[in-house]
Amino acid sequence: MRQEGVRTFKARLREELKDPEFRRQYEEERQALQLAIKIAALREEKGLSQQELAKRMGTSQQAISRIESGQYEGFTLKTLEKIAEATGMKVKIDFVAASCEVRL
């Protein structure tokens, strides 16, 4: 039960998202995390360990761990293509309409 005067996380986030700079940073972080989750899920779907994916890509397990952490900021098309090739996939890039709405 919610106590009077105590704000929930979602209520606080809704308030913070009214600030354009906060919203921009939030969206960047959200996209990075979504990409990291997709990469980790793809690797697991293919039955690969981080070490096996790293070997196929010619990199280290630590690099894969950083990529999957959600904190990695060095994504390039080349990196994504290496991940795709190592997992038997292809990269698909799409442009979508910018949205001002963040669903909570």
Side-chain angles (χ1 to χ4, degrees):
M1 181 176 256
R2 187 172 158 198
Q3 295 177 352
E4 194 64 34
V6 176
R7 292 179 8 179
T8 65
F9 174 77
K10 285 184 178 183
R12 170 86 188 264
L13 183 57
R14 275 189 207 100
E15 190 65 30
E16 294 288 344
L17 287 169
K18 292 177 184 177
D19 174 9
E21 180 60 20
F22 180 89
R23 179 180 287 275
R24 184 190 64 74
Q25 290 179 0
Y26 176 85
E27 284 298 324
E28 284 179 15
E29 293 295 323
R30 188 176 66 84
Q31 284 183 326
L33 186 56
Q34 284 179 329
L35 184 54
I37 290 168
K38 279 187 178 188
I39 291 168
L42 174 62
R43 177 182 56 74
E44 290 173 3
E45 178 184 306
K46 297 297 181 174
L48 299 170
S49 67
Q50 287 184 342
Q51 184 69 39
E52 291 167 325
L53 179 59
K55 185 175 181 181
R56 290 181 180 196
M57 290 177 59
T59 190
S60 68
Q61 178 273 325
Q62 291 84 355
I64 302 303
S65 179
R66 279 192 303 276
I67 287 169
E68 292 181 358
S69 74
Q71 300 297 313
Y72 185 71
E73 294 181 355
F75 283 108
T76 63
L77 182 55
K78 190 72 170 168
T79 301
L80 296 175
E81 287 173 336
K82 283 183 177 183
I83 292 167
E85 184 178 335
T87 56
M89 304 295 281
K90 290 186 177 182
V91 175
K92 177 183 175 184
I93 298 175
D94 196 10
F95 291 95
V96 296
S99 172
C100 293
E101 181 179 325
V102 175
R103 286 185 237 145
L104 301 179

